[in-house]
Amino acid sequence: MTDFFLSLGMSYEFAWFTATISGILLITLPLLLAVAMIIYVDRKVLGAVMMRRGPNVVGPFGLLQSFADGLKVFLQETIIPSASNKVLFLLAPIITFTVALAAWAVIPFNSGAVLADINVGLLYVLAISSLGVYGVVIAGWASNSKYPFFSAMRAAAQMISYEVSIGFILVCVVLWAGSFNLNDIIEAQRGHGLGFVNAFAFNPLLFPLFVMFLISAMAETARAPFDLTEAESELVAGYQTEYSSMAFALFWLGEYANILLMCALCAILFWGGWLPPFEWEPLYMVPGWIWFLGKTFLFFLVFSWTWATVPRYRYDQLMRLGWKVFLPLSLLFVFLVSGYLMLTRYGV
């Protein structure tokens, strides 16, 4: 893109700056539109499972419902509790929203279609997604209210617990692909499954890791059945209790952007990213970004379906699953995957 702006007669520095800003906008604006649409999809899936219609009034088929809700919260008054830490109270949703968007910088939408194609892309995603807990913890503490504070403590424990097992799962994927670069990880999946399926998920050693990653992603994003941070039957609305107007909307946008990120990572790490499902030439006629978005949307439907059907875990069950089941299992698979690769790939 920098070359295009250079051809318009710009200096290199200005062309690079313009190309970078354009790339950021090309990711951010469609992402925000996608968040509005998946909130609509979420509500439609919940409606279908509960045998009701879901949003169906605003716009054709209710498609504009999310925009109407966005306009409503934009016009509301921002209420700041008198006993809160006002600076941190307003900073928390900004942190959550910004961190959720920043992780998308290294996500490849197609071969070469990535804002920052860095060698340590997977480490960057892991580091950035770990920062999301700061917004939740700061929101709970700055509200100076008991329920939000309980929620903040829950969020910190929950996200740390599942990040550990996610880290070990990613180690196995990196060992098999031989790279931290997300494009390289996708390329390593070409024809990997049964010789013609573009996916790591068809590998008997990596499929259990995919299942653990999917469940851990739900817990990491505090998505049902692991939404203990905003359990309405216990904590009113958790860390969001004292928030209104656009501050509340920023939490909502950040939460769904994180959910989409985890769905995208499921597609990239285990299901071939922008590659077609099968190594068959006619399938390559479909642009890679369509395959990528289709797989991401499919995983989001799994998230919605789980929310609609699985009851919420108790907190002790949540912690037991993270520390006593997923952590030992992910460690075992690091041993199995590395041992298998040492025997077969490196001949040790």
Side-chain angles (χ1 to χ4, degrees):
M1 194 181 287
T2 305
D3 294 336
F4 170 74
F5 288 111
L6 282 172
S7 68
L8 299 179
M10 296 181 182
S11 66
Y12 178 80
E13 290 78 10
F14 190 62
W16 176 86
F17 177 76
T18 310
T20 304
I21 295 298
S22 302
I24 291 170
L25 291 176
L26 277 172
I27 292 173
T28 304
L29 297 180
L31 179 61
L32 293 178
L33 180 64
V35 165
M37 286 296 97
I38 65 164
I39 292 173
Y40 166 79
V41 171
D42 219 4
R43 295 174 65 178
K44 275 292 188 184
V45 170
L46 282 172
V49 171
M50 298 173 187
M51 297 183 71
R52 54 185 178 80
R53 297 180 70 87
N56 65 335
V57 175
V58 187
F61 309 106
L63 281 168
L64 301 179
Q65 182 65 55
S66 295
F67 300 100
D69 292 339
L71 180 63
K72 180 183 73 176
V73 295
F74 180 73
L75 296 175
Q76 284 176 343
E77 178 187 359
T78 300
I79 299 170
I80 303 175
S82 57
S84 67
N85 184 318
K86 293 175 177 57
V87 175
L88 292 179
F89 184 82
L90 293 174
L91 188 63
I94 296 171
I95 291 173
T96 300
F97 178 67
T98 307
V99 166
L101 293 185
W104 285 87
V106 296
I107 299 297
F109 294 87
N110 203 342
S111 179
V114 55
L115 182 63
D117 193 18
I118 56 177
N119 290 332
V120 288
L122 195 55
L123 274 181
Y124 172 84
V125 170
L126 188 62
I128 286 289
S129 60
S130 302
L131 294 176
V133 70
Y134 284 100
V136 176
V137 171
I138 290 171
W141 185 84
S143 296
N144 197 19
S145 177
K146 289 183 178 63
Y147 284 142
F149 186 62
F150 289 155
S151 172
M153 289 192 293
R154 282 185 173 190
Q158 179 173 333
M159 291 182 182
I160 290 168
S161 300
Y162 283 87
E163 270 167 15
V164 176
S165 54
I166 283 178
F168 285 124
I169 291 166
L170 297 184
V171 165
C172 296
V173 174
V174 168
L175 284 171
W176 208 287
S179 175
F180 279 101
N181 182 283
L182 293 176
N183 265 318
D184 291 347
I185 291 172
I186 291 172
E187 284 292 347
Q189 298 176 63
R190 196 184 291 273
H192 180 82
L194 308 174
F196 66 94
V197 181
N198 296 325
F200 275 157
F202 276 75
N203 184 321
L205 275 176
L206 296 181
F207 180 75
L209 293 172
F210 159 67
V211 175
M212 284 195 288
F213 183 84
L214 184 64
I215 297 170
S216 297
M218 291 179 187
E220 177 73 7
T221 52
R223 181 76 172 175
F226 307 110
D227 55 341
L228 275 299
T229 57
E230 48 197 89
E232 70 282 345
S233 58
E234 306 164 28
L235 302 179
V236 186
Y239 61 92
Q240 305 171 9
T241 302
E242 305 294 345
Y243 282 89
S244 62
S245 186
M246 280 308 291
F248 176 78
L250 287 178
F251 274 125
W252 202 240
L253 290 170
E255 180 179 330
Y256 272 91
N258 268 328
I259 290 167
L260 272 182
L261 176 71
M262 286 300 173
C263 294
L265 284 177
C266 283
I268 289 168
L269 298 175
F270 295 99
W271 290 95
W274 41 260
L275 291 173
F278 305 106
E279 196 66 12
W280 187 42
E281 198 59 39
L283 294 179
Y284 282 92
M285 295 170 67
V286 180
W289 61 270
I290 292 180
W291 290 119
F292 172 70
L293 294 180
K295 292 172 186 177
T296 303
F297 181 68
L298 188 65
F299 285 117
F300 180 75
L301 289 180
V302 173
F303 271 60
S304 282
W305 174 40
T306 307
W307 184 20
T309 53
V310 182
R312 183 181 293 128
Y313 266 41
R314 290 198 319 266
Y315 201 73
D316 60 304
Q317 293 174 323
L318 175 79
M319 289 292 113
R320 185 176 70 234
L321 182 68
W323 290 108
K324 292 187 176 181
V325 179
F326 283 179
L327 179 59
L329 271 178
S330 55
L331 269 171
L332 173 66
F333 273 95
V334 170
F335 170 75
L336 292 175
V337 169
S338 55
Y340 177 81
L341 290 174
M342 290 295 284
L343 285 171
T344 58
R345 186 180 295 177
Y346 302 109
V348 177

Coordinates of all heavy atoms in Angstrom, one line a residue, residues 158-235:
Q158 N -10.0 -15.7 36.8 CA -10.5 -16.5 35.6 C -9.6 -16.4 34.4 O -9.2 -17.4 33.8 CB -11.9 -16.1 35.3 CG -12.6 -16.8 34.1 CD -14.0 -16.4 33.9 OE1 -14.7 -16.1 34.9 NE2 -14.5 -16.5 32.7
M159 N -9.3 -15.1 34.0 CA -8.5 -14.9 32.8 C -7.1 -15.5 33.0 O -6.5 -16.1 32.1 CB -8.5 -13.4 32.5 CG -9.8 -12.9 32.0 SD -9.8 -11.2 31.5 CE -11.5 -11.0 31.1
I160 N -6.5 -15.3 34.2 CA -5.1 -15.8 34.4 C -5.2 -17.4 34.3 O -4.3 -18.0 33.7 CB -4.6 -15.3 35.8 CG1 -4.2 -13.9 35.7 CG2 -3.3 -16.1 36.2 CD1 -4.0 -13.2 37.0
S161 N -6.2 -18.0 34.9 CA -6.3 -19.4 35.0 C -6.3 -20.0 33.6 O -5.6 -21.0 33.3 CB -7.6 -19.8 35.7 OG -7.6 -19.4 37.0
Y162 N -7.1 -19.4 32.7 CA -7.2 -20.0 31.4 C -6.2 -19.6 30.4 O -5.9 -20.3 29.4 CB -8.6 -19.8 30.8 CG -9.6 -20.7 31.5 CD1 -10.2 -20.3 32.7 CD2 -9.9 -21.9 30.9 CE1 -11.1 -21.2 33.3 CE2 -10.8 -22.8 31.6 CZ -11.4 -22.4 32.8 OH -12.3 -23.3 33.4
E163 N -5.5 -18.5 30.7 CA -4.4 -18.0 29.8 C -3.2 -19.0 29.9 O -2.5 -19.2 29.0 CB -3.9 -16.6 30.2 CG -4.6 -15.5 29.4 CD -4.4 -14.2 30.0 OE1 -3.4 -14.0 30.8 OE2 -5.1 -13.2 29.6
V164 N -3.0 -19.6 31.1 CA -2.0 -20.6 31.3 C -2.1 -21.8 30.3 O -1.2 -22.2 29.6 CB -1.9 -21.1 32.8 CG1 -0.8 -22.1 32.9 CG2 -1.6 -19.9 33.7
S165 N -3.3 -22.4 30.3 CA -3.6 -23.5 29.5 C -3.6 -23.1 28.0 O -3.0 -23.8 27.1 CB -4.9 -24.2 29.8 OG -6.0 -23.3 29.8
I166 N -4.1 -21.9 27.7 CA -4.0 -21.4 26.3 C -2.6 -21.3 25.8 O -2.2 -21.6 24.7 CB -4.8 -20.1 26.1 CG1 -6.3 -20.3 26.1 CG2 -4.3 -19.3 24.9 CD1 -7.1 -19.0 26.1
G167 N -1.7 -20.8 26.7 CA -0.3 -20.7 26.4 C 0.4 -22.0 26.0 O 1.1 -22.1 25.0
F168 N 0.1 -23.1 26.8 CA 0.6 -24.4 26.5 C 0.0 -25.0 25.2 O 0.7 -25.6 24.4 CB 0.4 -25.3 27.6 CG 1.3 -25.1 28.8 CD1 0.8 -24.8 30.1 CD2 2.7 -25.1 28.7 CE1 1.6 -24.6 31.2 CE2 3.5 -24.8 29.7 CZ 3.0 -24.6 31.0
I169 N -1.2 -24.7 24.9 CA -1.9 -25.1 23.7 C -1.2 -24.5 22.5 O -0.9 -25.1 21.5 CB -3.4 -24.8 23.7 CG1 -4.1 -25.7 24.7 CG2 -4.0 -25.0 22.3 CD1 -5.5 -25.3 25.0
L170 N -0.9 -23.2 22.6 CA -0.2 -22.4 21.5 C 1.2 -22.9 21.3 O 1.7 -23.0 20.2 CB -0.2 -20.9 21.8 CG -1.6 -20.2 21.9 CD1 -1.4 -18.7 22.1 CD2 -2.4 -20.5 20.7
V171 N 1.9 -23.4 22.4 CA 3.2 -23.9 22.3 C 3.2 -25.2 21.4 O 4.0 -25.3 20.5 CB 3.8 -24.3 23.7 CG1 5.0 -25.2 23.5 CG2 4.1 -23.1 24.4
C172 N 2.2 -26.0 21.5 CA 2.0 -27.2 20.7 C 1.9 -26.8 19.2 O 2.5 -27.4 18.3 CB 0.9 -28.1 21.1 SG 1.1 -28.7 22.8
V173 N 1.0 -25.8 18.9 CA 0.8 -25.4 17.6 C 2.1 -24.8 17.0 O 2.4 -25.1 15.8 CB -0.4 -24.3 17.5 CG1 -0.5 -23.8 16.1 CG2 -1.7 -25.0 18.0
V174 N 2.8 -24.0 17.7 CA 4.0 -23.4 17.3 C 5.1 -24.5 17.0 O 5.8 -24.5 16.0 CB 4.6 -22.4 18.3 CG1 6.0 -22.0 18.0 CG2 3.6 -21.2 18.3
L175 N 5.1 -25.5 17.9 CA 6.1 -26.6 17.6 C 5.8 -27.3 16.3 O 6.7 -27.6 15.6 CB 6.0 -27.6 18.8 CG 6.7 -27.2 20.1 CD1 6.3 -28.2 21.2 CD2 8.2 -27.2 20.0
W176 N 4.5 -27.6 16.0 CA 4.2 -28.3 14.8 C 4.4 -27.4 13.6 O 4.9 -27.9 12.6 CB 2.7 -28.8 14.9 CG 2.5 -30.0 14.1 CD1 2.5 -30.1 12.7 CD2 2.4 -31.3 14.5 NE1 2.4 -31.4 12.3 CE2 2.3 -32.2 13.4 CE3 2.3 -31.9 15.8 CZ2 2.1 -33.6 13.5 CZ3 2.2 -33.3 15.9 CH2 2.1 -34.1 14.8
A177 N 4.0 -26.1 13.7 CA 4.2 -25.3 12.5 C 5.6 -24.8 12.3 O 6.0 -24.4 11.2 CB 3.2 -24.1 12.6
G178 N 6.4 -24.7 13.4 CA 7.8 -24.2 13.3 C 7.9 -22.7 13.2 O 8.9 -22.2 12.7
S179 N 6.8 -22.0 13.6 CA 6.9 -20.5 13.5 C 5.8 -19.9 14.4 O 4.8 -20.5 14.7 CB 6.6 -20.1 12.0 OG 6.6 -18.7 11.9
F180 N 6.1 -18.6 14.8 CA 5.2 -17.8 15.5 C 4.4 -16.9 14.6 O 3.4 -16.3 15.0 CB 5.9 -16.9 16.5 CG 6.3 -17.6 17.8 CD1 7.6 -18.1 18.0 CD2 5.3 -17.8 18.8 CE1 7.9 -18.7 19.2 CE2 5.7 -18.5 20.0 CZ 7.0 -18.9 20.2
N181 N 4.8 -16.9 13.3 CA 4.1 -16.0 12.3 C 2.8 -16.7 11.9 O 2.7 -17.9 11.6 CB 5.0 -15.9 11.1 CG 4.3 -14.9 10.1 OD1 3.5 -15.4 9.4 ND2 4.8 -13.7 10.0
L182 N 1.7 -15.9 12.0 CA 0.3 -16.5 11.8 C 0.2 -17.0 10.3 O -0.5 -18.0 10.1 CB -0.7 -15.5 12.1 CG -0.8 -15.2 13.7 CD1 -1.9 -14.1 13.9 CD2 -1.2 -16.4 14.5
N183 N 0.8 -16.3 9.4 CA 0.7 -16.7 8.0 C 1.4 -18.0 7.8 O 1.0 -18.9 7.0 CB 1.3 -15.6 7.0 CG 0.2 -14.7 6.5 OD1 -0.9 -15.2 6.1 ND2 0.5 -13.4 6.4
D184 N 2.6 -18.2 8.4 CA 3.4 -19.4 8.3 C 2.6 -20.6 9.0 O 2.6 -21.7 8.5 CB 4.7 -19.3 9.0 CG 5.6 -18.3 8.3 OD1 5.3 -18.0 7.1 OD2 6.7 -17.9 8.8
I185 N 1.9 -20.3 10.1 CA 1.1 -21.4 10.7 C 0.0 -21.8 9.8 O -0.3 -23.0 9.7 CB 0.5 -20.8 12.1 CG1 1.6 -20.7 13.1 CG2 -0.6 -21.8 12.6 CD1 1.2 -20.0 14.4
I186 N -0.7 -20.9 9.1 CA -1.7 -21.2 8.1 C -1.1 -22.1 7.0 O -1.7 -23.1 6.6 CB -2.4 -20.0 7.6 CG1 -3.2 -19.3 8.7 CG2 -3.3 -20.3 6.4 CD1 -3.8 -17.9 8.3
E187 N 0.0 -21.6 6.5 CA 0.7 -22.4 5.3 C 1.0 -23.8 5.8 O 1.0 -24.7 5.0 CB 1.9 -21.6 4.9 CG 1.6 -20.4 4.0 CD 1.0 -20.7 2.7 OE1 1.0 -21.9 2.3 OE2 0.5 -19.8 2.0
A188 N 1.4 -24.0 7.0 CA 1.8 -25.3 7.5 C 0.6 -26.3 7.5 O 0.8 -27.5 7.6 CB 2.4 -25.2 8.9
Q189 N -0.6 -25.7 7.5 CA -1.8 -26.6 7.5 C -2.2 -27.0 6.1 O -3.2 -27.8 6.0 CB -2.9 -25.8 8.2 CG -2.6 -25.5 9.6 CD -3.7 -24.7 10.3 OE1 -4.9 -25.1 10.4 NE2 -3.4 -23.5 10.7
R190 N -1.5 -26.6 5.1 CA -1.9 -26.9 3.7 C -1.8 -28.4 3.4 O -0.7 -29.0 3.5 CB -1.1 -26.1 2.7 CG -1.6 -26.1 1.3 CD -0.6 -25.4 0.4 NE -0.6 -24.0 0.6 CZ -1.4 -23.0 0.1 NH1 -2.3 -23.4 -0.8 NH2 -1.2 -21.8 0.3
G191 N -2.9 -29.1 3.2 CA -2.9 -30.5 3.0 C -2.5 -31.4 4.2 O -2.1 -32.5 4.0
H192 N -2.6 -30.8 5.4 CA -2.0 -31.5 6.6 C -2.9 -32.7 7.0 O -2.5 -33.7 7.3 CB -1.9 -30.5 7.7 CG -1.4 -31.1 9.0 ND1 0.0 -31.4 9.2 CD2 -2.0 -31.6 10.1 CE1 0.2 -31.9 10.4 NE2 -1.0 -32.1 10.9
G193 N -4.3 -32.4 6.9 CA -5.2 -33.5 7.4 C -5.5 -34.5 6.3 O -6.1 -34.2 5.3
L194 N -5.1 -35.7 6.6 CA -5.4 -36.8 5.6 C -4.8 -36.6 4.2 O -5.2 -37.2 3.3 CB -6.9 -37.1 5.5 CG -7.6 -37.3 6.9 CD1 -9.1 -37.4 6.7 CD2 -7.1 -38.5 7.6
G195 N -3.9 -35.6 4.1 CA -3.3 -35.4 2.8 C -4.0 -34.4 1.9 O -3.5 -33.9 0.9
F196 N -5.3 -34.1 2.3 CA -6.0 -33.1 1.4 C -6.9 -32.1 2.2 O -7.5 -31.2 1.6 CB -7.0 -33.9 0.5 CG -8.1 -34.7 1.2 CD1 -9.3 -34.1 1.3 CD2 -7.8 -35.9 1.7 CE1 -10.3 -34.8 2.0 CE2 -8.8 -36.6 2.3 CZ -10.1 -36.1 2.5
V197 N -6.9 -32.2 3.5 CA -7.7 -31.3 4.3 C -6.7 -30.2 4.9 O -5.7 -30.5 5.5 CB -8.4 -32.0 5.5 CG1 -9.2 -30.9 6.3 CG2 -9.3 -33.1 5.0
N198 N -7.1 -28.9 4.7 CA -6.2 -27.8 5.1 C -6.6 -27.5 6.6 O -7.2 -26.5 6.9 CB -6.4 -26.6 4.2 CG -5.9 -26.9 2.8 OD1 -5.0 -27.6 2.6 ND2 -6.6 -26.3 1.9
A199 N -6.1 -28.3 7.5 CA -6.4 -28.1 8.9 C -5.5 -28.9 9.8 O -5.2 -30.1 9.5 CB -7.9 -28.4 9.2
F200 N -5.1 -28.3 11.0 CA -4.4 -29.1 12.0 C -5.4 -29.9 12.8 O -5.0 -30.9 13.5 CB -3.7 -28.1 13.0 CG -2.4 -27.7 12.5 CD1 -1.8 -26.5 13.0 CD2 -1.6 -28.4 11.6 CE1 -0.5 -26.1 12.6 CE2 -0.4 -28.1 11.2 CZ 0.2 -26.9 11.7
A201 N -6.7 -29.5 12.8 CA -7.7 -30.2 13.6 C -7.9 -31.6 13.3 O -8.4 -32.4 14.1 CB -9.0 -29.4 13.5
F202 N -7.5 -32.1 12.1 CA -7.6 -33.5 11.7 C -6.4 -34.3 12.2 O -6.3 -35.5 11.9 CB -7.8 -33.6 10.2 CG -9.2 -33.5 9.7 CD1 -9.8 -32.2 9.7 CD2 -10.0 -34.5 9.4 CE1 -11.1 -32.0 9.3 CE2 -11.3 -34.4 9.0 CZ -11.9 -33.1 9.0
N203 N -5.5 -33.7 12.9 CA -4.4 -34.4 13.4 C -4.8 -34.9 14.8 O -5.2 -34.2 15.7 CB -3.2 -33.4 13.6 CG -1.9 -34.0 14.1 OD1 -2.0 -34.9 15.0 ND2 -0.8 -33.6 13.6
P204 N -4.7 -36.2 15.0 CA -5.1 -36.8 16.3 C -4.5 -36.2 17.5 O -5.1 -36.2 18.6 CB -4.8 -38.3 16.2 CG -4.6 -38.6 14.7 CD -4.1 -37.3 14.1
L205 N -3.2 -35.7 17.4 CA -2.6 -35.1 18.5 C -3.0 -33.6 18.8 O -2.9 -33.1 19.9 CB -1.0 -35.1 18.3 CG -0.3 -36.3 18.7 CD1 1.2 -36.2 18.3 CD2 -0.4 -36.6 20.2
L206 N -3.5 -33.0 17.7 CA -3.9 -31.6 17.8 C -5.4 -31.3 18.0 O -5.8 -30.3 18.4 CB -3.4 -30.8 16.6 CG -1.9 -30.7 16.4 CD1 -1.5 -29.9 15.2 CD2 -1.2 -30.1 17.7
F207 N -6.2 -32.3 17.6 CA -7.7 -32.1 17.8 C -8.1 -31.9 19.2 O -8.9 -31.0 19.5 CB -8.5 -33.3 17.1 CG -9.9 -33.1 17.3 CD1 -10.6 -32.2 16.5 CD2 -10.7 -33.8 18.2 CE1 -12.0 -32.0 16.6 CE2 -12.0 -33.6 18.4 CZ -12.7 -32.7 17.5
P208 N -7.6 -32.7 20.2 CA -8.0 -32.4 21.6 C -7.6 -31.0 22.0 O -8.2 -30.4 22.8 CB -7.2 -33.5 22.4 CG -6.9 -34.6 21.4 CD -6.7 -33.9 20.1
L209 N -6.4 -30.5 21.5 CA -6.0 -29.2 21.8 C -6.9 -28.1 21.3 O -7.2 -27.1 21.9 CB -4.6 -28.9 21.2 CG -3.5 -29.8 21.9 CD1 -2.2 -29.6 21.1 CD2 -3.3 -29.4 23.3
F210 N -7.5 -28.4 20.1 CA -8.5 -27.5 19.5 C -9.7 -27.4 20.4 O -10.2 -26.3 20.7 CB -8.9 -28.0 18.1 CG -10.2 -27.4 17.7 CD1 -10.4 -26.0 17.4 CD2 -11.3 -28.2 17.5 CE1 -11.6 -25.5 17.0 CE2 -12.6 -27.7 17.1 CZ -12.7 -26.4 16.9
V211 N -10.2 -28.6 20.9 CA -11.4 -28.6 21.8 C -11.1 -27.8 23.1 O -11.9 -26.9 23.5 CB -11.8 -30.0 22.1 CG1 -12.9 -30.0 23.2 CG2 -12.2 -30.8 20.9
M212 N -9.9 -28.0 23.6 CA -9.5 -27.3 24.9 C -9.4 -25.8 24.6 O -9.7 -24.9 25.4 CB -8.2 -27.8 25.4 CG -8.3 -29.1 26.1 SD -6.9 -29.5 27.1 CE -5.7 -30.0 25.9
F213 N -8.8 -25.4 23.4 CA -8.6 -24.0 23.1 C -10.0 -23.3 22.9 O -10.2 -22.2 23.4 CB -7.8 -23.9 21.8 CG -7.6 -22.4 21.4 CD1 -6.5 -21.8 21.9 CD2 -8.4 -21.8 20.5 CE1 -6.2 -20.5 21.6 CE2 -8.2 -20.5 20.1 CZ -7.1 -19.8 20.7
L214 N -11.0 -24.0 22.3 CA -12.3 -23.4 22.1 C -13.0 -23.2 23.4 O -13.5 -22.1 23.6 CB -13.1 -24.4 21.2 CG -14.5 -23.9 20.8 CD1 -14.5 -22.7 20.0 CD2 -15.3 -25.0 20.2
I215 N -12.9 -24.1 24.3 CA -13.5 -24.0 25.7 C -12.8 -22.9 26.4 O -13.4 -22.0 27.1 CB -13.5 -25.3 26.4 CG1 -14.4 -26.3 25.7 CG2 -14.0 -25.1 27.8 CD1 -14.3 -27.7 26.2
S216 N -11.4 -22.9 26.4 CA -10.6 -21.9 27.1 C -10.9 -20.5 26.5 O -10.9 -19.5 27.3 CB -9.1 -22.2 27.0 OG -8.8 -23.4 27.6
A217 N -11.2 -20.4 25.2 CA -11.5 -19.1 24.6 C -12.8 -18.5 25.1 O -12.9 -17.3 25.4 CB -11.6 -19.2 23.1
M218 N -13.7 -19.4 25.4 CA -15.0 -19.0 26.0 C -14.8 -18.4 27.4 O -15.3 -17.4 27.8 CB -16.0 -20.1 26.0 CG -16.5 -20.6 24.7 SD -17.7 -21.9 24.8 CE -17.9 -22.3 23.1
A219 N -13.9 -19.2 28.1 CA -13.6 -18.7 29.5 C -12.8 -17.4 29.5 O -13.0 -16.5 30.3 CB -12.9 -19.8 30.3
E220 N -11.9 -17.3 28.6 CA -11.0 -16.1 28.5 C -11.8 -14.9 28.1 O -11.5 -13.8 28.6 CB -9.9 -16.4 27.4 CG -9.0 -15.2 27.1 CD -8.0 -15.0 28.2 OE1 -7.9 -15.9 29.1 OE2 -7.3 -14.0 28.1
T221 N -12.8 -15.0 27.3 CA -13.7 -13.9 27.0 C -14.9 -13.7 27.9 O -15.7 -12.9 27.6 CB -14.2 -14.0 25.5 OG1 -14.8 -15.3 25.4 CG2 -13.0 -13.9 24.5
A222 N -14.9 -14.5 29.0 CA -16.0 -14.5 30.0 C -17.3 -14.7 29.3 O -18.3 -14.0 29.6 CB -16.0 -13.2 30.8
R223 N -17.3 -15.6 28.4 CA -18.6 -15.9 27.6 C -19.3 -17.1 28.3 O -18.6 -18.0 28.8 CB -18.1 -16.3 26.2 CG -19.2 -16.6 25.2 CD -20.0 -15.4 24.8 NE -20.9 -15.7 23.7 CZ -21.7 -14.8 23.2 NH1 -21.7 -13.6 23.6 NH2 -22.6 -15.2 22.2
A224 N -20.6 -17.1 28.2 CA -21.4 -18.2 28.8 C -20.8 -19.5 28.2 O -20.5 -19.6 27.0 CB -22.8 -18.1 28.5
P225 N -20.7 -20.6 29.0 CA -21.2 -20.8 30.4 C -20.2 -20.3 31.5 O -20.3 -20.7 32.6 CB -21.4 -22.3 30.5 CG -20.3 -22.8 29.6 CD -20.2 -21.9 28.5
F226 N -19.2 -19.5 31.1 CA -18.2 -19.0 32.0 C -18.3 -17.5 32.3 O -17.3 -16.9 32.6 CB -16.8 -19.3 31.4 CG -16.6 -20.8 31.0 CD1 -16.5 -21.1 29.7 CD2 -16.5 -21.8 32.0 CE1 -16.3 -22.4 29.3 CE2 -16.4 -23.1 31.6 CZ -16.3 -23.4 30.2
D227 N -19.5 -17.0 32.2 CA -19.7 -15.5 32.4 C -19.9 -15.2 33.9 O -20.8 -14.5 34.2 CB -20.8 -15.0 31.5 CG -22.1 -15.8 31.8 OD1 -22.1 -16.9 32.3 OD2 -23.2 -15.3 31.5
L228 N -19.0 -15.7 34.7 CA -19.0 -15.4 36.1 C -18.7 -14.0 36.5 O -19.1 -13.6 37.6 CB -18.0 -16.4 36.9 CG -18.5 -17.8 37.2 CD1 -19.7 -17.8 38.2 CD2 -18.8 -18.6 36.0
T229 N -18.1 -13.2 35.6 CA -17.7 -11.9 35.9 C -19.0 -10.9 35.8 O -19.0 -9.9 36.4 CB -16.7 -11.3 34.9 OG1 -17.2 -11.5 33.6 CG2 -15.4 -12.1 35.0
E230 N -20.0 -11.4 35.1 CA -21.2 -10.5 35.0 C -22.4 -11.4 35.3 O -23.5 -11.2 34.6 CB -21.3 -9.9 33.7 CG -21.0 -10.8 32.5 CD -20.7 -10.1 31.2 OE1 -19.5 -9.8 30.9 OE2 -21.7 -9.8 30.5
A231 N -22.3 -12.3 36.2 CA -23.4 -13.2 36.6 C -24.6 -12.4 37.2 O -24.5 -12.0 38.3 CB -22.9 -14.3 37.6
E232 N -25.6 -12.2 36.3 CA -26.7 -11.3 36.8 C -27.5 -11.8 38.0 O -28.1 -11.0 38.7 CB -27.6 -11.0 35.6 CG -28.5 -12.1 35.2 CD -27.8 -13.2 34.3 OE1 -26.7 -12.9 33.8 OE2 -28.3 -14.3 34.1
S233 N -27.5 -13.1 38.2 CA -28.2 -13.6 39.4 C -27.4 -13.4 40.7 O -27.9 -13.6 41.8 CB -28.5 -15.1 39.2 OG -27.2 -15.8 39.0
E234 N -26.1 -13.1 40.6 CA -25.3 -12.9 41.7 C -24.7 -11.5 41.9 O -24.6 -11.0 43.0 CB -24.1 -13.9 41.7 CG -24.5 -15.3 41.5 CD -23.3 -16.2 41.0 OE1 -22.1 -15.8 41.3 OE2 -23.5 -17.2 40.3
L235 N -24.3 -10.9 40.8 CA -23.5 -9.6 40.8 C -24.2 -8.5 40.1 O -23.5 -7.6 39.6 CB -22.1 -9.9 40.2 CG -21.2 -11.0 40.9 CD1 -19.9 -11.1 40.2 CD2 -21.0 -10.7 42.3

